[in-house]
Amino acid sequence: MRTERIRTDVLIIGGGTAGCFAAYVIGKKSGRKVLIAEKANIKRSGCLAAGVNALNAYITEGRVPQDYVDYAKKDAHGIVREDLLLTMSERLNHVTKVMEDLGLVILKDENGKYVARGNRNIKINGENMKPILAKAAAEQENVTVLNHVNITDYKTENKKVTGAVGFSVNEDIFYDIDAKAVLCATGGAAGFYRPNNPGFSRHKMWYPPFNTGAGYAMGLLSGAEMTTLEMRFIALRCKDTIAPTGTIAQGVGARQVNAHGDIYETKYGLTTSQRVYGTVMENREGNGPCYLRTEGISKEQEQDLYKAYLNMAPSQTLKWMEAGKGPSEENVEIEGTEPYIVGGHTASGYWVDNNRATTIEGLYAAGDVAGGCPQKYVTGALAEGEIAAEAMGVDTTKYKVLAFTVGAAFAGIGGALFAHFFYIAHPASFTFMRSFDILTMVVLGGLGSISGSITGAILLTFVSAALASYPEWRMVIYSLLLIVLMLYRPQGLFGSKELS
């Protein structure tokens, strides 16, 4: 076996949705060299490989990103990181527009607006979505794709990730890769449990069997902090075909009913886990099988379902054709899958900050392996890939030194003006309380926004002047302001946005 050594600026492990989009963003916005290492082929790898018929995470007309945060928090029964959800949600529509510009077909009505499916989804023709994304990434001049290479371990030095090692799937080659930054964008973990399908479908799995949880394993072995790995995802799916049920439930408004025709979804609740739990309990109590009530839908709706599943799960359409009965004539039987660990649906994965940096220097995570941020779906993975790309695409050492230098320059100018105005510069003028004032200004305005910091400074300057006659109350009000801010607006007034 021969060894091949490679040096790059950014190594992306996994060429799925998040990985390819991160490479595309770095390629467009930065001159840094990027290497995608994918154990299959990026053209049809990852959960997007078979295509999708809708984008399940989108801020539809009349709604705002915080609405999606609230939905995901409720659906996960509060087991979320709201800061991560918000930074993702703020980018959902932006990444959708990028994909449309790259060639993704998004359905529109007669007024040119996207066709919504429910409160958070829009319809697409997405069978070719992954090839479009893979092509966009591979065409960037500074992006190199290494297909059929299975990365097995990170390289670490002094608690910093410096690259990774792996093996060719097809040839006797060992790869030793050095990188200034590494993005883990692998899939979740399948195969922990036997497939929950009887009869001829007993071999079928909802989640790709090639998603082995390697990204999680590498993180654990390297000492990265992980979160919520005990939170498993059980998908509610069409029996035998493992096709998604949301296409039917939201597409034609089908309700969950038991064998007696009783609607049971309202009895147990409407979150993802409650829908699965209700189905399990109805079966255990002898009220099964359970179905999505589709009998009586129009022929036009039936045709829409045929087309929708051909884009994503053609086996469901083929099953209807083979049986000679479509959903308008016969309800669709449903059941839960076996459990999976998958951060795109639950909160399982690496503990990351708002830049998707892990607790190990130089290592980032996005998509199914990034924890704390459930209900990502396709656009959420794209958004996290972009967030990580923007952080990795920057020479952090250069900008840290630059920020220190600029900060020191402004501090010097400020000190000179202070002494000129007050005729004296004394240590007593620069106590801890002055540092606290400055910190409060930044936190109030938003840690990710220069406009926010300036606005926070102006607001607190006026507040401080107004309270000059009541110095004993100033810190009380400051403290209350910070508490309220942390509770209701942890990202600050502006968050990461700028005035433009």
Side-chain angles (χ1 to χ4, degrees), residues 125-140:
N125 287 335
E127 185 278 335
N128 64 341
M129 187 172 182
K130 186 61 202 298
I132 289 173
L133 180 57
K135 183 172 182 286
E139 285 182 345
Q140 302 306 308

Side-chain angles (χ1 to χ4, degrees), residues 9-12 21-23 25-27 29-30 32 34 91 180-183 352-358 361-366 382-400:
D9 293 323
V10 176
L11 169 63
I12 298 176
F21 199 71
V25 172
I26 296 175
K29 296 184 177 181
S30 167
R32 307 196 94 186
V34 180
R91 294 174 182 253
K180 298 174 182 177
V182 175
L183 171 63
V352 294
D353 64 15
N354 283 327
N355 290 324
R356 274 41 181 191
T358 71
E361 185 180 353
L363 178 63
Y364 297 77
L382 294 172
E384 287 202 325
E386 182 178 61
I387 292 169
E390 289 176 354
M392 293 186 300
V394 173
D395 187 338
T396 55
T397 302
K398 170 186 173 182
Y399 283 99
K400 283 179 181 178

Side-chain angles (χ1 to χ4, degrees), residues 76-96:
H77 300 277
I79 308 175
V80 300
R81 286 263 307 276
E82 292 184 60
D83 57 330
L84 299 180
L85 276 169
L86 185 62
T87 55
M88 176 200 78
S89 301
E90 289 174 337
R91 294 174 182 253
L92 293 176
N93 292 18
H94 160 67
V95 296
T96 300

Side-chain angles (χ1 to χ4, degrees), residues 387-458:
I387 292 169
E390 289 176 354
M392 293 186 300
V394 173
D395 187 338
T396 55
T397 302
K398 170 186 173 182
Y399 283 99
K400 283 179 181 178
V401 172
L402 182 62
F404 177 81
T405 304
V406 173
F410 274 107
I413 294 171
L417 292 173
F418 183 92
H420 177 75
F421 187 78
F422 290 102
Y423 304 110
I424 186 173
H426 193 274
S429 301
F430 306 99
T431 61
F432 169 77
M433 297 314 300
R434 181 63 64 190
S435 298
F436 187 80
D437 286 346
I438 296 171
L439 176 63
T440 305
M441 292 171 183
V442 175
V443 173
L444 174 65
L447 291 173
S449 171
I450 296 175
S451 304
S453 298
I454 294 172
T455 303
I458 293 171

